[in-house]
Amino acid sequence: MAAQAAATTFNGNLKKALAGLRRINLEGLRWRVFDAKGQVLGRLASQISTVIQGKDKPTYAPNRDDGDMCIVINAKDVCVTGRKLTDKVYYWHTGYVGHLKERSLKDQMAKDPTEVIRKAVLRMLPRNKLRDDRDRKLRIFADSEHPFGDRPLEPYMMPPRKVREMRPRVRRALIRAQKKAEEQEQGGCQRKGRKREAKTEVAA
Amino acid sequence: MTRIKRGYIARRRRKKISLFASSFRGAHSILTRTITQQRIRALVSAYRDRDRKKRDFRRLWITRINAVIRGVGVSYSYSRLIHNLYKKQLLLNRKILAQIAISNRNCLYMISNEIRK
């Protein structure tokens, strides 16, 4: 296939990326590309889920699945706010008594960063019979390579966002961290000159 | 008392009912007892859904209008469109707006821009 020949640069799970493509009929769908670099996880997932459901088209019908194919790249560069990198925990139960397993966001990103976005989007879709088909339309890649280069791709522009200003405690912590970084830099370059006076200045 | 056979009375009654259920799936169009039950359920659904239909279609029109209107610009949505419609006292209903959205998107954009001023 031309797709597979052109995608030899894509080292990754080619089989997984192209899995189930034959099951999706109606190739009048668009292929939208989402760049997850620097995007906040939940807000990105919300936009992806509207596109996947086909809710940005005037021909939306709730009983049939007419969403566009979504490709997400740079999944490992997706951001979260607050302390979620360590504190957000994914739980699942295996079915055996007492076997509630957990894994934090950090470990999940180390293990498989695509699962983070996939879980986020899947949990935003309505729980009905179309959910599995919609899952099949979503292709996520950890870096910026993907084997769909020869399709007519359209990049998706995220809507502009109002970032609220920092809470005072967080802002103070940020300022303190910046000052500390400056002090370390100054202390580092003046240690070569071995000037104790400079150190006392910095400490004051 | 004289003996009375029931004869063909029951069969006639059931024939009418099974005519109603003739297009049902599987045993629901063949077995007489299930036919009676399924006919009752079908009529109940029809009664309830005649009112539901009005609600469902309005929901669908609203979703479709919302989908198209969000393409106008940043922070423009169905709710703002309807607010503007009511302010300018434009009497287009959601059914017509949804049809315009499907067939002629630019027309809807023109209307929304006119209303916005």
Side-chain angles (χ1 to χ4, degrees):
Chain A
M1 299 281 286
Q4 289 164 359
T8 41
T9 49
F10 172 71
N11 51 346
N13 222 338
L14 193 75
K15 213 171 176 185
K16 186 173 161 199
L18 297 174
L21 260 186
R22 237 184 300 158
R23 264 208 224 183
I24 310 169
N25 51 358
L26 286 184
E27 291 293 335
L29 307 173
R30 297 177 285 179
W31 290 65
R32 322 273 287 261
V33 179
F34 290 80
D35 192 359
K37 192 163 200 168
Q39 300 283 343
V40 182
L41 175 63
R43 294 181 190 262
L44 174 72
S46 168
Q47 301 295 324
I48 296 178
S49 80
T50 14
V51 169
I52 280 247
Q53 287 179 66
K55 273 194 145 179
D56 51 350
K57 300 184 174 175
T59 49
Y60 169 75
N63 59 335
R64 59 146 212 238
D65 180 24
D66 208 15
D68 297 326
M69 294 284 304
C70 289
I71 303 179
V72 186
I73 54 179
N74 290 324
K76 60 177 173 4
D77 296 323
V78 72
C79 310
V80 290
T81 52
R83 296 195 190 138
K84 287 184 215 164
L85 209 50
T86 42
D87 287 355
K88 180 171 168 76
V89 185
Y90 290 101
Y91 292 101
W92 71 98
H93 199 281
T94 56
Y96 289 93
V97 174
H99 285 224
L100 181 68
K101 308 255 177 160
E102 60 179 26
R103 193 183 283 160
S104 76
L105 225 197
K106 211 168 167 186
D107 302 333
Q108 186 68 47
M109 292 288 262
K111 198 156 189 178
D112 187 12
T114 66
E115 268 306 304
V116 170
I117 300 189
R118 184 173 300 272
K119 273 202 169 72
V121 175
L122 229 51
R123 289 175 182 183
M124 289 191 182
L125 295 177
R127 324 292 192 267
N128 54 18
K129 292 186 188 174
L130 299 173
R131 194 165 169 235
D132 292 331
D133 301 328
R134 285 171 174 155
D135 181 28
R136 216 168 285 131
K137 291 193 173 172
L138 178 64
R139 308 283 156 143
I140 310 179
F141 300 101
D143 38 9
S144 50
E145 292 279 320
H146 60 93
F148 301 111
D150 54 342
R151 314 263 178 170
L153 303 169
E154 298 174 16
Y156 181 84
M157 295 295 144
M158 291 285 284
R161 205 192 131 198
K162 270 192 305 181
V163 188
R164 66 146 198 260
E165 68 165 86
M166 279 185 144
R167 301 270 190 247
R169 172 188 281 190
V170 185
R171 172 178 286 180
R172 270 183 261 136
L174 187 71
I175 292 176
R176 239 184 296 134
Q178 281 176 349
K179 280 195 182 156
K180 212 175 185 181
E182 287 172 11
E183 281 171 23
Q184 280 193 350
E185 280 180 35
Q186 285 192 359
C189 59
Q190 277 166 357
R191 220 172 279 164
K192 291 181 187 174
R194 287 179 198 168
K195 286 184 182 172
R196 281 189 189 176
E197 297 162 8
K199 266 192 192 172
T200 45
E201 266 179 47
V202 160
Chain B
M1 284 292 302
T2 35
R3 173 177 181 255
I4 299 182
K5 274 184 8 176
R6 280 187 287 174
Y8 49 77
I9 309 293
R11 188 167 51 246
R12 274 194 193 162
R13 187 185 73 235
R14 289 184 193 136
K15 211 169 180 177
K16 273 189 284 183
I17 295 177
S18 81
L19 181 64
F20 180 88
S22 61
S23 61
F24 288 12
R25 189 176 179 179
H28 294 185
S29 55
I30 302 197
L31 309 175
T32 51
R33 293 197 205 183
T34 30
I35 284 178
T36 338
Q37 294 161 359
Q38 294 306 315
R39 176 176 182 270
I40 293 174
R41 301 192 88 232
L43 291 174
V44 166
S45 293
Y47 180 76
R48 178 195 64 207
D49 290 337
R50 272 194 291 275
D51 286 327
R52 281 266 177 89
K53 190 166 48 171
K54 303 166 179 59
R55 299 182 224 167
D56 287 341
F57 270 107
R58 187 164 155 134
R59 275 175 101 193
L60 183 61
W61 298 327
I62 290 177
T63 312
R64 287 184 171 173
I65 297 171
N66 202 1
V68 171
I69 280 291
R70 278 179 194 263
V72 166
V74 188
S75 78
Y76 199 53
S77 64
Y78 166 84
S79 46
R80 290 177 198 232
L81 173 77
I82 296 295
H83 178 58
N84 291 338
L85 271 177
Y86 282 165
K87 262 201 311 195
K88 302 282 180 164
Q89 295 178 339
L90 193 60
L91 289 178
L92 286 175
N93 58 1
R94 286 138 182 90
K95 178 162 95 174
I96 301 299
L97 283 174
Q99 266 320 112
I100 298 176
I102 299 177
S103 57
N104 194 353
R105 195 188 280 213
N106 289 321
C107 185
L108 191 65
Y109 286 171
M110 281 197 296
I111 296 175
S112 71
N113 285 331
E114 276 300 311
I115 294 173
R116 241 175 162 183
K117 291 173 200 166

